[in-house]
Amino acid sequence: MRGATQSAEFRLPRRRLAERLAQAGVRDGRVLAAVEAVPRHRLVPAELRTRAYQDASLPIGDGQTISAPSMVAVMSQALELSGNETVLEVGTGSGYQAAILAQLAARVISIERLPGLAARARRSLDGMGITNVVVHLGDGTQGRPADAPFDAIAVTAGGPQVPEPLLDQLGPEGRLVGPFGARGAQELLRYRRSATGALRCESLGSCRFVDLIGTHGFDR
Ligand code: SAH
């Protein structure tokens, strides 16, 4: 794993999880290697550790969840990362998606609105020796103009529609994936900016995420 020796604990369950995701249709070998490398058991509450390598979302406190590995894999694959990118993540949560993206891109800038989760994720990422992720506290629906443009953006909470500032901060040929639609029932959308600046959008299927709350999200 980038910046850390691979955790020996739960190595077999982690490999099995990567194999199951491959069988379920995840094609990007770098994404599968990242799933096999990142110790998800260190990002879930201690009493749920034995379930860390099931393909399920799990509660992480503050009413939030760590996304299911298959969803993290599908979103990561949809960003089509090759290793040189600067990626923005909205919704750090446990830090799992950020840790996966850290294996796939050069730099990850992740924003979390809840102070407790942001602090814990930062500690977890440090503990794993991941040095190419920066966690910021704030409203991610406004993006991070200071660090824009981004090659790729992952929104990991469900909003009514894609936040305009994020599209504005997406660079040429950039990709944005995120769940948008009604509360509790969204569609996973991928936006792609062409070299000339035009935007295309496609649906990758239905999904269910916790709420994206902010200026360009839900009110509360
Ligand atoms: N990527 C996370 C998923 C966490 S769930 C993981 O892998 O664990 C979504 C997270 O988005 C929650 O922690 C929630 O607090 C956060 N969130 C919701 N609205 C936000 C906003 N406007 N800006 C930043 N984070 C937000």
Side-chain angles (χ1 to χ4, degrees):
M1 185 166 90
R2 192 184 283 237
T5 46
Q6 195 171 325
S7 166
E9 257 185 308
F10 293 96
R11 186 174 277 156
L12 202 56
R14 221 162 29 243
R15 168 161 303 170
R16 296 237 172 82
L17 173 61
E19 285 166 3
R20 284 202 303 279
L21 297 183
Q23 280 158 16
V26 177
R27 292 271 162 267
D28 186 332
R30 296 179 72 243
V31 170
L32 295 169
V35 168
E36 200 169 328
V38 174
R40 190 172 186 258
H41 64 276
R42 291 171 65 164
L43 303 173
V44 303
E47 65 276 15
L48 297 176
R49 277 194 161 194
T50 55
R51 292 170 58 192
Y53 298 103
Q54 297 174 0
D55 186 22
S57 61
L58 294 168
I60 53 171
D62 283 340
Q64 308 304 319
T65 54
I66 180 173
S67 303
S70 55
M71 182 51 70
V72 171
V74 163
M75 290 179 73
S76 302
Q77 174 168 271
L79 291 177
E80 296 176 354
L81 300 170
S82 63
N84 301 319
E85 297 85 358
T86 298
V87 183
L88 175 71
E89 181 194 24
V90 176
T92 315
S94 67
Y96 182 61
Q97 172 86 70
I100 294 283
L101 292 172
Q103 313 304 304
L104 303 171
R107 200 157 77 101
V108 180
I109 293 152
S110 185
I111 310 178
E112 170 58 51
R113 65 180 278 272
L114 298 175
L117 288 179
R120 205 194 309 151
R122 210 176 273 142
R123 276 199 305 276
S124 302
L125 292 161
D126 285 348
M128 295 189 290
I130 293 177
T131 55
N132 58 337
V133 177
V134 184
V135 178
H136 293 285
L137 184 63
D139 174 12
T141 67
Q142 311 197 35
R144 280 280 298 179
D147 293 310
F150 299 100
D151 302 304
I153 300 178
V155 182
T156 70
Q161 69 276 310
V162 62
E164 274 305 316
L166 299 185
L167 291 180
D168 293 342
Q169 292 170 37
L170 192 61
E173 302 191 69
R175 290 81 61 199
L176 179 153
V177 283
F180 303 108
R183 274 196 145 114
Q186 306 92 26
E187 249 178 86
L188 189 65
L189 300 182
R190 171 167 58 186
Y191 290 83
R192 189 189 290 276
R193 190 179 287 295
S194 76
T196 57
L199 266 178
R200 271 197 344 222
C201 174
E202 71 195 292
S203 173
L204 304 178
S206 52
C207 57
R208 188 193 170 103
F209 280 73
V210 297
D211 291 347
L212 180 71
I213 297 170
T215 310
H216 303 272
F218 290 109
D219 282 347
R220 51 176 291 120

